[in-house]
Amino acid sequence: MFAPKKKTRNPELRNQRKSFDLLTMAANVSSHYHVDLLVKEKRNLEEYENGDRHRQINNVISSPSSVLPPENGNGGIGLKLDINGGKGVTSNGGLSVSVPATPSLPPVISGWYADVSSLSPGEARFYEVEKVLFHGKSKYQELLVFQSKKHGKVAILDGSLQLTERDEFAYQEMLTHLPLCSIPHPKKVLLVGGGDGGILREISRHNSVEQIDICEIDEMIIDAYKKFFPDIAVGYKDPRVQVYIDNGIAFLKKIPEGTYDAIILDAFVEMGKHAVELADNDVLRSIAKALRPGGVVAIPSNNPWSIDSSMEAIILKCQNIFGGSVNYAWTTVPSYNNGTMGFLLCSTKGPKVDFKNPINPLNPNHFGVAEGPSKFYNSEIHAAAFCLPSFAKIATGSEVA
Amino acid sequence: MFAPKKKTRNPELRNQRKSFDLLTMAANVSSHYHVDLLVKEKRNLEEYENGDRHRQINNVISSPSSVLPPENGNGGIGLKLDINGGKGVTSNGGLSVSVPATPSLPPVISGWYADVSSLSPGEARFYEVEKVLFHGKSKYQELLVFQSKKHGKVAILDGSLQLTERDEFAYQEMLTHLPLCSIPHPKKVLLVGGGDGGILREISRHNSVEQIDICEIDEMIIDAYKKFFPDIAVGYKDPRVQVYIDNGIAFLKKIPEGTYDAIILDAFVEMGKHAVELADNDVLRSIAKALRPGGVVAIPSNNPWSIDSSMEAIILKCQNIFGGSVNYAWTTVPSYNNGTMGFLLCSTKGPKVDFKNPINPLNPNHFGVAEGPSKFYNSEIHAAAFCLPSFAKIATGSEVA
């Protein structure tokens, strides 16, 4: 896990550009330097590997290896932190560079986390890191948690930014309340994925709900969020919550027909390889079957700035599979790609669901296990979420008003 | 303009962290290297300095100095590009680092432009640069234009990202049509700032308009946009447009009372020091006076994620100054801070204006000088722009529904 990244510098590039020798040397110097630090400081990182927890001593200042999936073929864009010796020095006093094998990826900056997404090429978002808090690898995925300078704690799953404390509530609240506020008195709700607990926290605001089931594949996620994100994992404290540690796909297949009023699928491409599997057609059919007639499902989707005409096909597919209403919505989540997140809302054949006009508003006096009323969601922003820029209306097959 | 940036490395930091010597050395190496390049390649940069235009020969691959305003006290966050010898090599094959004097600022990455904003601390957005097209300095401000890899051409004004071709239309369309679609048959419209021409392009869609005045202080901006952003500067082709090269504040003071139906102020803090002056109280009073009763003004404002309780005070101030409706709206613009942009819409005392319910929809068949119908704006997204997340409703003094 802590091996230095493979140096896959492009020799052709180097030949064409002899004048870079000095820079290359500089890069090598800092790269080697880093490797030394990593070896020395490995003991300082709290680890969670292959299901075995073991707490490491001392403060946590170290450097996980690349967190990008290997198919990107790069030598390691990710996080590099320097040792600060526990003296209160900020982590950005030193510098390091590292030669990316793929020219379109930016080099590593010491003390900053580089968020690079295939959905936003030619762009990288850097977050200043104060301290790495956790770096764990289960048999399913790799989780990195760091304290950022200005965005609260940040969680990175398999190399993709999963959430920041600064804006997680926008995503969690919209993904939960868009479906639950669209149907009368939801009673049985299933969450697939969402091991962080934030969606549970939001479901908890709904008094009508009697049963909250969550199926999460990876116990490490639950443990890490309970420890490092108590305000998010607070959702687990709701006594209606029943946790199933299981593969979401297998779990969905076992559900008796018509069991749930609402299902929330907290998984999308950027959430790692297990999320991709979850968005499969068969899975959508399993969800449709598990819902009662006129039941609803919410699924994260591409953001409005990255959708294209294939979105219309996806909507048509969902209409076929679910048989009721299908709508695309979006909202602002600054730390996600293009600062936005898309949602697909589908209902099964049965009592008609009008997602654009919520009939079951949140009661601001019922917090459930949350600390206070919702910070983002309200009935106005619910309705507004279905209003799209003209280019996105065209991509989703709607007429431009 | 091409002087190497001052090395203001913090000696205390260096003493505390002796182990960084190697990295510091590496940084020095590449820094000097860059200086050499700059001197050698200065001839390759097209320049526009102090009002004197002079075109430089050859391809433009070079490196402007820091584009951050001096009060940030840093040694140079900005753009650094390497020479690629015109061989079609991407600009990211080499690396350079540079030690920031302010530890909270990220170092320079060669081949990438770092967008750093005081409104989004602890964060930096990097855009991959293909080619610098223009770097000019007038007596008012500094403009940098580069071809990005994935965001079209990008304009940087006084160190702040002004627009990218990929999403400029979201901002330009909303800032124009939110006010103009809220009043019946606007005839006389004034644009203050907005020298790029994009707002002119959008005003041009309104057939009722008879007179479009623009007051722009800096001719360099107009010239550069006409040359490098023809799809934006196309607005100048509208025969109704009358250009006044003047100081916006002085110009506003000279306007006879009640002249305009609508004024659009295309200026906000991030647009440089002249924009800051424009947002002054006296200026707002001049605008109110220049508007007819029931006239409207649109002003860019803080984005919803960065507003705080001071927003309520700003709204109250505008209500006092303008005497009619005052509303806060927002929309998604990925390349702006937090991926969003805020707008203040104000109307003067007189016929009531209901900004939230547009009465003058765009005619999609009237493009004016634009190439086609609006890409972003429609009546639905107009209404949705006034629906705020709960935390922003609280900050603007609205009740949470």
Side-chain angles (χ1 to χ4, degrees), chain A residues 129-375:
Chain A
V129 177
E130 243 174 39
K131 196 174 178 179
V132 172
L133 299 173
F134 179 79
H135 180 217
K137 201 173 172 178
S138 70
K139 60 183 162 182
Y140 302 109
Q141 50 204 350
E142 206 171 342
L143 178 69
L144 173 73
V145 178
F146 64 84
Q147 177 69 49
S148 75
K149 193 96 169 182
K150 294 285 179 186
H151 297 75
K153 288 179 200 137
V154 178
I156 311 293
L157 196 58
D158 276 351
S160 292
L161 189 143
Q162 192 184 39
L163 60 78
T164 81
E165 280 186 327
R166 180 171 177 256
D167 59 9
E168 54 87 17
F169 57 89
Y171 170 77
Q172 319 259 28
E173 292 184 17
M174 292 299 271
L175 185 61
T176 307
H177 305 308
L178 287 177
L180 293 189
C181 294
S182 297
I183 54 173
H185 311 296
K187 283 188 180 155
K188 296 175 86 175
V189 182
L190 169 65
L191 170 61
V192 181
D196 55 78
I199 304 284
L200 297 178
R201 176 192 69 199
E202 295 308 316
I203 300 171
S204 173
R205 299 180 190 281
H206 290 264
N207 266 12
S208 67
V209 172
E210 295 165 1
Q211 181 182 335
I212 308 173
D213 294 337
I214 170 174
C215 175
E216 165 63 52
I217 197 170
D218 192 350
E219 219 168 350
M220 173 188 71
I221 299 293
I222 300 174
D223 289 346
Y225 272 93
K226 281 185 175 171
K227 176 155 189 195
F228 295 105
F229 297 90
D231 295 343
I232 297 174
V234 68
Y236 286 102
K237 291 194 174 159
D238 190 307
R240 296 167 291 181
V241 170
Q242 178 70 49
V243 182
Y244 297 89
I245 303 295
D246 200 350
N247 174 297
I249 298 170
F251 188 84
L252 280 165
K253 284 191 177 155
K254 288 181 284 190
I255 299 170
E257 199 170 329
T259 299
Y260 292 103
D261 298 292
I263 295 178
I264 297 169
L265 190 60
D266 185 12
F268 62 109
V269 158
E270 290 286 285
M271 282 180 181
K273 55 183 184 292
H274 291 281
V276 179
E277 287 168 11
L278 278 172
D280 183 74
N281 274 8
D282 276 353
V283 178
L284 295 179
R285 278 191 208 100
S286 300
I287 292 172
K289 187 175 143 277
L291 285 170
R292 67 156 168 85
V296 291
V297 61
I299 310 168
S301 184
N302 278 353
N303 68 72
W305 289 91
S306 69
I307 57 176
D308 55 25
S309 56
S310 67
M311 199 62 199
E312 192 179 348
I314 292 171
I315 289 172
L316 285 173
K317 180 177 87 173
C318 288
Q319 275 165 348
N320 276 333
I321 291 176
F322 291 99
S325 318
V326 176
N327 289 100
Y328 176 83
W330 68 281
T331 202
T332 160
V333 188
S335 55
Y336 288 167
N337 293 316
N338 295 310
T340 43
M341 171 55 75
F343 306 98
L344 265 181
L345 282 300
C346 312
S347 70
T348 52
K349 214 170 164 180
K352 194 176 155 46
V353 176
D354 180 3
F355 287 113
K356 298 183 180 184
N357 293 296
I359 51 155
N360 180 30
L362 271 190
N363 182 332
N365 300 317
H366 291 163
F367 305 166
V369 295
E371 277 210 355
S374 61
K375 295 182 208 167

